[in-house]
Amino acid sequence: MGATTEPAEAARVSGTIRYWAAAKSEAGLAEEPYEAATLAEALAGAKERHADRPKLVRLLGHCSYLVDGSPVGGRDHATVALTEGGTVEVLPPFAGG
């Protein structure tokens, strides 16, 4: 009888979210810690923590992201794994870019 394997749940790790420009202004801080396995989970946590800041919550849906210095681009945020001690950079859209 063969063993069945189910996909392992990704491990939650600790890191830092850094907010830039309008995101920093709306968040009211430059950075904060996260505990998450994926970018989607880290962003969901940020939205939950800042539920009292609806402009930031909306803005996070329009931002670009760098994870450990690499652009996320159009990848599904649920597929972007985070690393222990890593950094998520939140880059809001800006004019002239």
Side-chain angles (χ1 to χ4, degrees):
M1 195 182 281
T4 59
T5 58
E6 294 185 24
E9 190 171 315
R12 292 172 61 93
V13 295
S14 298
T16 302
I17 296 177
R18 289 192 183 136
Y19 297 103
W20 295 98
K24 179 178 175 181
S25 178
E26 292 300 335
L29 46 81
E31 61 184 45
E32 65 182 337
Y34 67 76
E35 278 194 33
T38 66
L39 177 58
E41 191 178 330
L43 294 176
K47 289 175 182 178
E48 188 175 304
R49 284 188 301 279
H50 298 286
D52 61 335
R53 295 175 174 268
K55 287 183 180 179
L56 174 64
V57 172
R58 278 193 306 276
L59 182 61
L60 290 175
H62 300 285
C63 290
S64 296
Y65 298 94
L66 299 176
V67 173
D68 297 334
S70 296
V72 171
R75 289 183 286 161
D76 180 348
H77 295 168
T79 67
V80 180
L82 301 176
T83 59
E84 182 64 36
T87 303
V88 173
E89 308 277 350
V90 180
L91 307 169
F94 55 92

